[in-house]
Each structure stands twice: as C-alpha cells, then as structure tokens.
Amino acid sequence: GENVEQHPSTLSVQEGDSAVIKCTYSDSASNYFPWYKQELGKGPQLIIDIRSNVGEKKDQRIAVTLNKTAKHFSLHITETQPEDSAVYFCAAPFKAAGNKLTFGGGTRVLVKP
Amino acid sequence: NAGVTQTPKFQVLKTGQSMTLQCAQDMNHNSMYWYRQDPGMGLRLIYYSASEGTTDKGEVPNGYNVSRLNKREFSLRLESAAPSQTSVYFCASGASGVYNEQFFGPGTRLTVL
C-alpha cells in the first residue's frame, strides 16, 4: 500500500522563524497532497493542499512544494507565531485503493515566544 | 454549516460493553470515513463509505461495524469493546472527486476499562 513518511516528528522554533516539514510517499500515481493542522483536543483541519500539476502553492504564511520526481512534498511556515503551535499531518492518496488517503505520522510544532 | 459533527465527545466503557458513535455531515458529500488516532500512530482508516449504501473495510476494521444510514449519517459500532479500542475516533467526509479532499469532525475520545 501507500507509505507516507513524515519528518521531523517534533520541531521547536523561535517565534518569527520558519518551519519546514517534509513528507515522502511511495505511490507514483498519487496526485493530491493535503496538509492538516490539529490543535489540542480538536479534529484535523485542512490548511492547504497541492495537486500534481503544480510545483508550489502559497497561502499567506504557508506554502507547499511538490517534487514528483523525488516523490516528496514539504510544508513551509514563515514568520511563525505562537498560534502555529499544533500537530501537522501530511497525506497522500493510494490510487490502487480507490484514492484513500494515507497519513504521515505527524509533526508536533512548538513555537516559542 | 456545521460541517462534520460527532457524538458523543467523550465516552467511558467497560470491557465487553457495546456502543455506537454517531457522525453527520451537512456538506452533501458522497464519501464518509472513520479513523482512529492513537499516540505516535497517526490516523488509521477503520471503515469508509464511498457513497450511500456502500461500505468497505479500511486498514484496521477488526472489532468494528459501520452503517451508512443515509447520505448525511455514518455510524461506527463497537459490539464488544476491548481496552485496545481506547482511542480518539474521527469521522470525515469528502466529495469523492478526482482529488480526495476530506474534512474532519471534532472527534470522540473513547476509553475502555
């Protein structure tokens, strides 16, 4: 099945610095790569996604890049703020299993004021 | 729009008891999903329903059953709860187009003693 590896598992940054989380996937047919943010005690919230026909997508302070050749995609958060502290999950669909999403193990981001 | 709603928010069961977790969505989505989230394990798919009237097993279906009651509602049943089923359960829904965007509910925290 699809395998999605996410690194690092924890990330501590100073407020104002950038944070980068990287995911690799195994299914070369995957065409959609979402990122979710999960705050304590809440459900995952879709914050940005990228489709396989583009290499980069930005939304204010967050951006996602995709390298289909290397089969990896990354989340970039610039000018981090304390409210960015959360667990972030990447995911990729497994075509042979009806496009069901496989999730990475998550990255706990702590932004220190 | 309420999005995806789940009841109850918290539940404590004794081993062997049964219960049903309820999920409803008001986004007119075809697909609905049940995941469990355990510490360090990320999100794992239990069951999903690609459309009203169909259900299929995910990665970890043992010990669970589901019912797609109508387009809006998708329930998860534990017939005989076991301590290994202590987890946080999330329901999600999606439009099931080419790109598998999924939107999550707030979760049910279940403890089995």
Side-chain angles (χ1 to χ4, degrees), chain B residues 4 10 13 19 21 26-27 35 41 44 53 56 58 62 64 71-73 75-76 80-82 85 88 98 102-103 107:
Chain B
V4 180
F10 301 94
L13 294 177
M19 80 158 294
L21 282 65
D26 62 2
M27 295 177 280
Y35 293 89
M41 298 289 290
R44 293 185 293 169
D56 283 291
N62 291 345
Y64 306 95
K71 191 171 187 179
R72 288 187 64 250
E73 298 172 290
S75 63
L76 178 72
S80 178
Q85 294 178 305
V88 182
V98 174
Q102 293 184 22
F103 300 91

Side-chain angles (χ1 to χ4, degrees), chain A residues 32 36 38 43 89 99-100, chain B residues 37 45 48 98 100-102:
Chain A
Y32 170 71
Y36 289 85
Q38 186 177 26
F89 292 96
N99 257 358
K100 293 195 296 294
Chain B
Q37 185 176 40
L45 183 64
Y48 69 102
V98 174
N100 192 0
E101 294 173 314
Q102 293 184 22

Side-chain angles (χ1 to χ4, degrees), chain B residues 52-71:
Chain B
E52 187 178 351
T54 68
T55 61
D56 283 291
K57 296 178 181 179
E59 181 185 354
V60 288
N62 291 345
Y64 306 95
N65 284 301
V66 290
S67 295
R68 183 73 181 266
L69 304 170
N70 48 55
K71 191 171 187 179

Side-chain angles (χ1 to χ4, degrees), chain A:
Chain A
E2 172 79 282
N3 187 39
V4 178
E5 305 251 347
Q6 183 172 346
H7 297 282
S9 56
T10 60
L11 181 58
S12 183
V13 297
Q14 207 66 38
E15 182 177 356
D17 288 349
S18 295
V20 181
I21 305 168
K22 183 175 175 178
C23 286
T24 59
Y25 60 97
S26 59
D27 184 3
S28 57
S30 292
N31 63 352
Y32 170 71
F33 307 92
W35 285 92
Y36 289 85
K37 176 184 181 182
Q38 186 177 26
E39 296 176 340
L40 196 61
K42 297 185 178 181
Q45 178 187 8
L46 180 66
I47 56 171
I48 194 168
D49 55 29
I50 191 167
R51 300 173 183 183
S52 59
N53 56 346
V54 298
E56 184 176 5
K57 182 177 178 180
K58 288 183 180 179
D59 183 2
Q60 299 182 338
R61 294 187 298 106
I62 59 174
V64 57
T65 58
L66 171 64
N67 183 327
K68 285 216 75 179
T69 303
K71 290 192 281 188
H72 67 72
F73 57 110
S74 300
L75 178 71
H76 304 254
I77 308 172
T78 58
E79 300 172 24
T80 53
Q81 299 169 6
E83 54 263 36
D84 295 328
S85 295
V87 179
Y88 293 81
F89 292 96
C90 63
F94 184 34
K95 281 287 192 180
N99 257 358
K100 293 195 296 294
L101 292 178
T102 298
F103 286 83
T107 298
R108 184 173 298 277
V109 174
L110 175 63
V111 180
K112 295 179 288 186

Side-chain angles (χ1 to χ4, degrees), chain B residues 9 15 21 23-25 32 46 49 62 65 81 92 98 106-108 112:
Chain B
K9 285 187 172 21
T15 295
L21 282 65
C23 173
Q25 52 94 8
M32 297 186 74
I46 305 170
S49 170
N62 291 345
N65 284 301
V98 174
T108 294
V112 183

